[in-house]
Amino acid sequence: MQRGGREGGVRDDKRAPPPYQAPSRETCVAEAASSGDRLFRSIVAAKPKLVTGVPDGMLSRTIMLCEASPDFPYIACAREEECIGVASGAAMAGERAIVMVQNAGLLNSLGAFATMGLRYGLPFVVIVTNRGALADPNGYDIEKREAFDAGVRPMARVFDFDANDLPDDLIPAAFKWAEAARKPVILALEKRLGAEAAA
Amino acid sequence: MSDLSNLPSQQDAISAALALYPARPFAVSDIGSQTGWLKAAGHDARNLYVSGPMGLATSVALGLAAVRPNEQVLAIAGDGALAMNLTSLATIAGAKPKNLSILLVDNRIYEFTNAVPTPTRDLDWLAVGRAFFGEACVRLSEMTAERWTGVARPAMIVADVAPAPGKPPALGLTPAMIRAEFLGASRAR
């Protein structure tokens, strides 16, 4: 995220930028609620039979809404690989299932993703928070993102989105694609420069 | 486990567990040994042969149980396999599906990997299961159909089985065949 309005260029010391002001906690929470609500509404619109996941900060609002939803069960897994199994079980019965995990969690689950999702051609949707973006530079996230690019993108279709600017029809469209392609699809959500933090 | 001579085979234990149900449950088996012996016990369209990583059957069964709440689902896992996805027991205990049970067939070896002993060969699986499911973790040798009807779900059945002298017959089904047949069965009732 670019704060203070300067990205690159020559710095003019005589015209110093306004002092950086961190967004308030209330602002961050409101933004997370907004993007999380939007993702939840898109999930509901796709009419899944179940949603499963392991929390990430960018997904917490959506997960809490899913937990409270009367429209489908949310299965909270202890490990991400389990989520792939749970979604596969639903998809084997011909039902729509959604997985929500962080990029590191999907990396933990690539064996299951390949030998269930790809091998059986199961059209479930995996929502991945792709941490370690330019606007999301936590030191402990950088290698996760590098590994995601190296390990996940060559084996599966990944569509990338700004976590704060998700299309309303994102999840229904993802299912349409997966069902047409007869394989799982990955939606990578990331924080982008110029937008407020998602979480 | 000092005397293995009186233990049932894995195939017989699977057959006995399936026979506890008044109607055929969905049976979700782990890759390799459990899938082979489930098919040897009797192929059924309601069998779901998992080709995922060892241990994933319990998670796949949980997903199936969630979308088919009016059907009984039995996950079949080996001791080596379940140890690889032990956290699924915590997830299942938390999700509390009213239609899911786990059959643990404990032969104390990795049957498909030249019978190398499992690290859990001395583990008390009944105690492990009871930590998650309480009295709903039972021994197969003590179960009858009548008793089984009264066991709460989620449940776990522990079956000590004899190591087989060889591998089960090959599955002989492609992933597309497994998926198509199971899809039909999962929508049949």
Side-chain angles (χ1 to χ4, degrees):
Chain A
M1 181 193 317
Q2 185 67 21
R3 293 183 174 117
R6 184 178 291 275
E7 184 174 16
V10 179
R11 183 181 176 111
D12 180 351
D13 287 330
K14 292 180 182 176
R15 297 180 61 191
Y20 169 69
Q21 239 183 340
S24 66
R25 185 176 184 283
E26 289 71 23
T27 302
C28 287
V29 170
E31 288 292 335
S34 174
S35 59
D37 287 12
R38 201 174 307 128
L39 178 57
F40 173 72
R41 286 195 297 270
S42 189
I43 287 171
V44 171
K47 296 182 169 58
K49 274 285 185 165
L50 72 78
V51 180
T52 181
V54 171
D56 172 75
M58 289 171 64
L59 294 169
S60 55
R61 170 72 178 169
T62 307
I63 286 174
M64 285 189 278
L65 290 168
C66 287
E67 287 255 25
S69 174
D71 296 325
F72 48 77
Y74 174 79
I75 297 178
C77 288
R79 287 178 65 245
E80 295 88 350
E81 188 183 43
E82 296 175 46
C83 298
I84 301 297
V86 168
S88 296
M92 276 289 198
E95 305 293 357
R96 286 184 165 184
I98 296 170
V99 172
M100 289 194 287
V101 292
Q102 196 198 80
N103 51 4
L106 184 60
L107 287 165
N108 288 344
S109 313
L110 288 186
F113 184 86
T115 55
M116 291 302 299
L118 297 179
R119 182 168 170 82
Y120 286 110
L122 301 176
F124 54 79
V125 173
V126 183
I127 300 168
V128 177
T129 46
N130 200 10
R131 308 307 299 259
L134 196 58
D136 184 25
N138 295 312
Y140 49 81
D141 283 334
I142 305 301
E143 286 76 17
K144 297 175 190 173
R145 190 182 179 87
E146 301 294 334
F148 182 84
D149 286 345
V152 177
R153 293 187 192 276
M155 70 187 289
R157 173 58 61 197
V158 179
F159 294 103
D160 295 275
F161 293 90
D162 179 347
N164 270 346
D165 189 20
L166 298 177
D168 291 339
D169 60 349
L170 175 63
I171 306 302
F175 271 111
K176 276 189 184 175
W177 188 93
E179 286 157 3
R182 297 182 182 185
K183 57 185 170 185
V185 63
I186 296 170
L187 306 175
L189 315 187
E190 66 177 26
K191 297 178 183 180
R192 297 229 171 122
L193 292 172
E196 288 298 326
Chain B
M1 190 67 55
S2 53
D3 183 11
L4 306 180
S5 59
N6 292 325
L7 294 178
S9 69
Q10 186 168 172
Q11 178 179 335
D12 287 347
I14 291 170
S15 294
L18 290 171
L20 294 173
Y21 292 83
R24 183 63 155 71
F26 288 119
V28 183
S29 58
D30 260 314
I31 188 171
S33 185
Q34 285 71 58
T35 274
W37 291 121
L38 172 62
K39 180 147 186 283
H43 178 65
D44 190 289
R46 291 164 74 83
N47 290 353
L48 176 48
Y49 307 111
V50 170
S51 69
M54 280 178 68
L56 206 65
T58 47
S59 301
V60 174
L62 175 60
L64 176 62
V67 300
R68 292 292 180 270
N70 297 321
E71 300 274 1
Q72 290 295 311
V73 179
L74 179 67
I76 304 171
D79 54 313
L82 189 57
M84 292 189 186
N85 193 15
L86 204 56
T87 55
S88 67
L89 299 183
T91 297
I92 291 167
K96 299 180 177 61
K98 300 296 184 197
N99 59 337
L100 176 60
S101 303
I102 300 160
L103 170 64
L104 172 74
V105 281
D106 183 10
N107 62 2
R108 298 156 300 279
I109 56 169
Y110 294 109
E111 190 172 77
F112 263 54
T113 315
N114 299 321
V116 172
T118 60
T120 58
R121 58 190 176 276
D122 295 324
L123 193 65
D124 181 352
W125 279 105
L126 191 70
V128 171
R130 289 198 167 157
F132 292 101
F133 306 115
E135 293 302 309
C137 181
V138 299
R139 285 198 186 282
L140 179 63
S141 57
E142 296 169 358
M143 272 300 108
T144 62
E146 188 179 3
R147 283 183 192 163
W148 180 239
T149 304
V151 175
R153 309 289 198 274
M156 181 166 158
I157 307 169
V158 176
D160 290 319
V161 300
K167 292 180 183 176
L171 189 60
L173 298 168
T174 66
M177 291 162 69
I178 293 169
R179 187 179 174 214
E181 188 172 28
F182 185 77
L183 187 61
S186 70
R187 290 173 164 168
R189 287 186 185 172

